[in-house]
Structures are given as C-alpha cells and as structure tokens.
Amino acid sequence: MELLPLHTPPGSDPHALLAPLAAALAGEGPAIAPHLDQGQTFDGELPNDEIAAVLSTSGSTGTPKQTMLSVDALAASAMGTALALKAEGQWLLTLPVHYVAGFQVLVRSLYAGTRPWAMDLAAPFSAEAFTAAAGELTDKVRFTSLVPTQLHRLLQDPRPETLQALRRFNAILLGGAPASASLREEARRQGLNLVLTYGMSETCGGCVYDGVPLEGVDLINEDGRLWISGPVLADGYLGQPELSADRFRFNSGRRWFRTDDTADLTGGKLSVSGRIDDVIVTGGVKVSATAVASAIESMPGVQSALVLGIESAEWGSEVAAAVVGQVSPDDVRRHTKAALGAHAAPHTILTLASLPVLPNGKPDRLAVLALLERAGA
C-alpha cells in the first residue's frame, strides 16, 4: 500500500487535500499523510490496503506518533458525528489539517457532499478573522470545531457581529483540551450551541459528544483508566508494532484502545477527570492536577490554568501552576488551600499572558513544564 506525504505548512490551501483524500477514501488512490514539518519522514509499511490516512498525534506530552486511520474508521466517525448532530452541513475549518480535528472537517465535508470554508491558518487566530470566514458560509446548516483557547478569544469582549456569527452555527464542537466551567457557562449565556467532544487521533478525533459515545463506540472504566472500543479505532501506529500491540488490545473478541485518561461512567455518560499522569505525589500525598486547575479556574479574574508536577529535592515532586489572568500567587495559594487542603496549594506559580500552545491549539505541556521548572529553580 502506497503512502503519499503531503506537506501542509501554514498558508497552504487545505482544499488541495480534498481530491487526494477523496481518492483515498474511495480506494482509488494512496493513503495520504498531511504533515507540517518539511523534513518529516514516515518509516514503516502500511499493514493493509484499507488505510486512508496517517496522522500525527498532538505530541503534547512527548514525541508524536503516526496514527493509521482506515477508510472504515473514518466513515464510521463521520457517520457517527452526523447522527449525533442530527444533520450534515457545511463546515468552517479553523484548525490545522495535519491534526485530526482539522482533518476530520475535510472528511465530514466529503461524506456530506459539501465544500468547507477554511480560515487563513497562517495568520493569527482572531475574532475578526473568524467572523469574516464564517460570513463566507452559504449552507443553511453550519458547523465548526474549536479548541477552548479559540473560543475564549471569541468571547473576550465580543463584537455583536462575532456573536451573531457564532449563534448562526447549528453546533460548535469544542475539544482538544479541557474547557473551564466559566468558559462553558459564558458560551451558553451567549446562546451558543456548544457540543463538548472527547477523543484523540487514535479514535479518529471526537468519539464522545456531551458525554455520550458515538454510534458503535463503547467505553469501560478499568481501575480508573478509560478504555475505548468501536469502529472508529485506528489500526495502530506506523512502524511501531510493539507500541501498537500495547495500546490496542483484544478482549472478548474486540479491539480496545488504552487511553491515558481517568474517567467516571455514570448512567452511560462519560466524565473525564484527568490524565493518569496528572496525579502528583508530593511529600507522599497524592494530588490531582486537574482538581487544582479547576479550583484555580473558579477564581474571579482567572481565564485558564495548567497544573503540573516539578521535581523537588524536599518533596520529591511539588505542585506548580501556570495561570492566565489577573490574580496574585498568594491569592492562588490561599484559594487552593481552602478548597483542597494545604498539600494541594502550588509552591511555584507562574502568571502568563497566555499558555503556550501547539499548532492544533492544545496547551504545550512540555513548554509549560520547562517554564515552571525555571521559575521553581
């Protein structure tokens, strides 16, 4: 099976991917591999003729992996999305196409028979650019996918025309990173039809919408870790058979993907509580980084927070927080101590104008970790 790498730097026309992607989905062309890095290589052979695309994981916590997505998996994801949203329509592309959230906008558009409109992905994301791009859509039914950072920028002192454009979307998929309660509340207060999504490259993007799995997707919680099964699963990682076997496992005749997330399943609805590695053991006490971040984000004036563990000679690891907003470190410590106890109060607190992000809009955890380590040194 042939693989066609396609360089997609900022400024390139994402519509140029539609023809080769359509051929790959129809089994009439090679699998495509949209990528940002001109020097990137793709080592390994595709396992079968059903692979339509190879996409990089976000790399937010380490080296990106090359995920192989089959025609059937992409079709199941597109169909599941249409069923969950109760419609097909025209999409506005706001995210890079070499990551799964942006790539899926093209896939869904092809299956729906509509032509997406793309923002200028080489320019900084802004409310003005988004509003102008949304105004180019022509279909009655309209969708878009955003990450929380983008939505926050759109709702920060919004202009009437931006709110009008946002309200015009039948659904705004929001995923890629946790969205704060204040952001979700503001979106709903403004009358936006927000759909919170959960997923990753290994599940063809979002596979759970507002806590409910897409058609055919099953979830189990095993010792606090979330496992996912269903037709949307990737075929594994290109050139990494051992890692593929470790993360994609068979159980009772079905393939399951082992996530790195902790979750609760109550009444058939999913609530992701954090990552397995978000537990910080400080002085022998376990602290949930997600709980600390949520407590900080509940403070007036705080826009977002990312909490990580950094090395400490005294404590082994210590709680550290990068905070975006108008708040003092002392207030952050007092608030988290009152909410969660003294063990959860961050030792190192770094106030930033914004969190470093990857090209797909996710927080760059490695960059934030480096900043916190320098601040705590």
Side-chain angles (χ1 to χ4, degrees):
M1 176 67 180
E2 185 182 354
L3 180 65
L4 175 63
L6 295 170
H7 187 216
T8 56
S12 61
D13 182 7
H15 295 103
L17 267 69
L18 288 172
L21 174 57
L25 292 173
E28 298 173 352
I32 66 172
H35 61 285
L36 177 64
D37 183 1
Q38 179 68 58
Q40 182 172 346
T41 59
F42 295 86
D43 299 322
E45 295 185 3
L46 298 178
N48 56 63
D49 291 340
E50 296 301 314
I51 305 301
V54 176
L55 298 181
S56 293
T57 59
S58 67
S60 59
T61 58
T63 303
K65 299 177 285 292
Q66 305 303 322
T67 310
M68 299 180 291
L69 304 178
S70 70
V71 173
D72 288 346
L74 290 167
S77 176
M79 182 178 297
T81 295
L83 290 173
L85 300 180
K86 298 182 173 58
E88 292 181 313
Q90 188 178 23
W91 287 80
L92 174 61
L93 176 65
T94 71
L95 296 163
V97 292
H98 54 274
Y99 286 128
V100 70
F103 184 77
Q104 279 289 47
V105 167
L106 303 183
V107 173
R108 295 168 189 146
S109 298
L110 284 172
Y111 279 115
T114 58
R115 183 172 178 81
W117 187 267
M119 293 184 62
D120 180 2
L121 300 180
F125 183 87
S126 67
E128 293 78 11
F130 175 87
T131 304
E136 298 292 342
L137 298 178
T138 56
D139 281 25
K140 180 179 180 181
V141 180
R142 304 175 183 183
F143 303 110
T144 192
S145 289
L146 300 173
V147 295
T149 300
Q150 292 174 316
L151 183 61
H152 171 76
R153 292 177 184 174
L154 295 174
L155 293 181
Q156 192 174 36
D157 300 321
R159 299 180 303 170
E161 53 267 36
T162 297
L163 289 176
Q164 183 179 7
L166 285 166
R167 292 171 183 148
R168 183 66 182 77
F169 286 98
N170 295 68
I172 300 169
L173 306 189
L174 188 70
S180 67
S182 60
L183 179 62
R184 300 195 304 269
E185 177 57 32
E186 178 63 16
R188 293 188 172 106
R189 190 180 73 83
Q190 295 292 356
L192 310 188
N193 187 13
L194 213 60
V195 177
L196 302 180
T197 70
Y198 169 79
M200 57 280 297
S201 299
E202 292 87 347
T203 60
C204 289
C207 64
V208 180
Y209 285 11
D210 284 336
V212 179
L214 296 185
E215 184 77 19
V217 173
D218 288 318
L219 311 172
I220 59 172
N221 186 335
E222 186 175 285
D223 298 326
R225 184 190 294 269
L226 179 66
W227 292 73
I228 304 174
S229 181
V232 299
L233 289 192
D235 277 33
Y237 303 114
L238 179 66
Q240 296 183 283
E242 292 183 358
L243 180 61
S244 297
D246 178 59
R247 300 305 295 265
F248 296 88
R249 302 183 184 180
F250 277 92
N251 184 22
S252 302
R254 300 189 64 180
R255 288 179 75 238
W256 293 83
F257 173 66
R258 176 172 64 86
T259 76
D260 288 324
D261 295 320
T262 59
D264 176 68
L265 291 168
T266 303
K269 294 199 71 173
L270 172 69
S271 175
V272 177
S273 51
R275 292 176 55 87
I276 294 292
D277 58 5
D278 271 349
V279 175
I280 303 168
V281 181
T282 177
V285 179
K286 293 182 178 180
V287 175
S288 167
T290 301
V292 177
S294 296
I296 296 172
E297 288 175 344
S298 70
M299 299 177 65
V302 174
Q303 299 170 13
S304 60
L306 181 59
V307 176
L308 300 169
I310 62 174
E311 187 175 345
S312 167
E314 181 179 3
W315 302 99
S317 292
E318 68 177 44
V319 181
V323 181
V324 178
Q326 300 297 319
V327 65
S328 73
D330 286 342
D331 285 343
V332 171
R333 290 190 186 94
R334 281 193 290 267
H335 181 81
T336 51
K337 181 179 179 179
L340 301 171
H343 59 279
H347 287 246
T348 298
I349 300 171
L350 188 61
T351 302
L352 302 173
S354 61
L355 292 176
V357 295
L358 298 165
N360 64 348
K362 286 187 177 183
D364 190 334
R365 294 169 64 91
L366 295 180
V368 172
L369 179 61
L371 292 173
L372 290 172
E373 287 176 338
R374 283 200 294 270

